[in-house]
Amino acid sequence: MCGLAVSPSCSSWPRFPAELSSPSSSSAHIFSFCSLFPSFQPSRLHSHVHFFHCSRSPRGLLRRSRSPSSASASAMAARNVREVLPPALDSTSDPPALFDGTTRLYISYTCPYAQRVWITRNCKGLQDKIKLVPIDLQNRPSWYKEKVYPPNKVPALEHNNEVKGESLDLIKYIDNNFEGSSLCPNDPAKQQFAEELLSYTDSFNKGVITSIKGDGMNDADGAFDYIETALSKFDDGPFLLGQFSLVDIAYAPFIERFQPFLLEVKKYDIKAGRPKLAAWVEQTGYAFQLA
């Protein structure tokens, strides 16, 4: 939910011009959810970004590097759990047994903010500890707002008889309060830079979306150049803090949406002239592989 400055949530993702709302059928419009979660093969997904579509063959879309980093390999091992995903709950669905001691993560499968928290859960191997409760945002159940989370947005986490929200807050909360390898570095310099990068996520998304909706690419150039520069700060790995961390998780659902769309619709390759970003894109494909 931490995203654009105005009502940052999946349900409030900005609308785009009509010509961007119905993209041509092309692999360049693949919804990034498919590459992040290749074990999930839906017949249809509706993106609240409106102009991203999902392939029926997500496994073939996962980028594969010939030499994944050790951090990526470790992340893969931690998430090598095949999960049967429940159907989304809508206005006709009964609520779960709320506040019964079960930890629940309320998400939308296609929401990039919710995907941040979902990825964090999976990276820490918490599939058996945190139960997914997908919500149909187009036909959301009334009990979700009334009994679970009054802001009526996703993601939200039910834990210890409380419900918390905001995606950037939740990825930190899960990392700090649940078992599994830490996704935050111990190095104070990296911790400080992590906060800087996390605070930039809103500006990053806004810059790219401004270019998508406009004629020039200056704002997107600045956003992706910022990431390229950030990737140069630490030399102990291909990720934003060198080693894989929550910061990569915060950016990945958005960059993996922007990349194919910009390439086809704007003829803009985010990796051109940005070798570190190109390597990051490839390595995150490994880091998020579930199968």
Side-chain angles (χ1 to χ4, degrees):
M1 276 178 352
C2 299
L4 298 176
V6 180
S7 300
S9 72
C10 290
S11 58
S12 63
W13 190 274
R15 301 283 176 159
F16 291 84
E19 64 269 20
L20 302 185
S21 301
S22 301
S24 61
S25 176
S26 168
S27 61
H29 292 101
I30 291 160
F31 193 30
S32 69
F33 171 86
C34 295
S35 60
L36 295 180
F37 296 93
S39 59
F40 179 55
Q41 299 192 32
S43 59
R44 187 179 185 187
L45 280 176
H46 292 288
S47 167
H48 298 286
V49 187
H50 296 294
F51 53 74
F52 293 102
H53 290 250
C54 182
S55 166
R56 292 172 183 258
S57 303
R59 288 183 180 276
L61 304 174
L62 186 66
R63 285 179 295 277
R64 295 181 178 273
S65 164
R66 293 188 178 183
S67 54
S69 71
S70 58
S72 300
S74 297
M76 273 196 292
R79 296 183 302 284
N80 193 20
V81 177
R82 189 174 296 277
E83 183 176 23
V84 177
L85 299 179
L89 302 182
D90 61 19
S91 62
T92 67
S93 304
D94 292 328
L98 302 172
F99 305 110
D100 62 349
T102 301
T103 301
R104 297 181 176 91
L105 175 59
Y106 297 89
I107 65 168
S108 165
Y109 285 134
T110 58
C111 169
Y113 300 100
Q115 285 173 10
R116 284 172 169 170
V117 190
W118 183 6
I119 292 168
T120 301
R121 162 200 184 254
N122 288 7
C123 283
K124 291 181 72 71
L126 297 171
Q127 289 89 333
D128 294 332
K129 303 291 185 181
I130 302 177
K131 182 178 180 180
L132 288 182
V133 182
I135 300 295
D136 182 347
L137 296 184
Q138 299 300 313
N139 185 25
R140 68 191 76 189
S142 60
W143 52 257
Y144 182 66
K145 179 178 181 179
E146 295 167 357
K147 299 180 179 181
V148 179
Y149 193 52
N152 205 25
K153 302 172 183 179
V154 295
L157 182 72
E158 176 188 340
H159 182 233
N160 288 343
N161 293 319
E162 294 181 346
V163 177
K164 305 176 184 296
E166 299 296 333
S167 64
L168 295 181
D169 292 339
L170 288 179
I171 63 176
K172 294 178 183 179
Y173 181 85
I174 288 176
D175 192 41
N176 291 331
N177 290 277
F178 290 85
E179 63 189 40
S181 299
S182 175
L183 293 169
C184 291
N186 293 322
D187 183 345
K190 290 189 175 185
Q191 291 175 352
Q192 181 178 353
F193 193 51
E195 291 302 319
E196 178 183 326
L197 289 169
L198 291 174
S199 68
Y200 181 71
T201 55
D202 290 2
S203 298
F204 173 81
N205 290 333
K206 183 177 180 179
V208 178
I209 290 169
T210 296
S211 289
I212 287 175
K213 297 172 69 174
D215 294 328
M217 298 304 295
N218 288 341
D219 291 288
D221 276 336
F224 289 113
D225 285 347
Y226 180 95
I227 299 300
E228 178 72 12
T229 300
L231 286 164
S232 302
K233 188 172 181 67
F234 300 106
D235 59 4
D236 57 337
F239 298 104
L240 284 161
L241 299 180
Q243 300 302 303
F244 182 75
S245 73
L246 291 178
V247 179
D248 302 292
I249 293 173
Y251 279 93
F254 297 89
I255 291 179
E256 292 218 5
R257 279 171 168 77
F258 294 143
Q259 180 194 358
F261 182 80
L262 288 170
L263 186 60
E264 176 155 320
V265 175
K266 293 288 189 174
K267 309 304 179 188
Y268 179 85
D269 184 357
I270 69 170
K271 298 186 290 184
R274 301 185 183 102
K276 292 187 179 297
L277 178 58
W280 180 89
V281 168
E282 186 157 354
Q283 289 294 338
T284 52
Y286 266 100
F288 299 146
Q289 184 175 1
L290 298 184

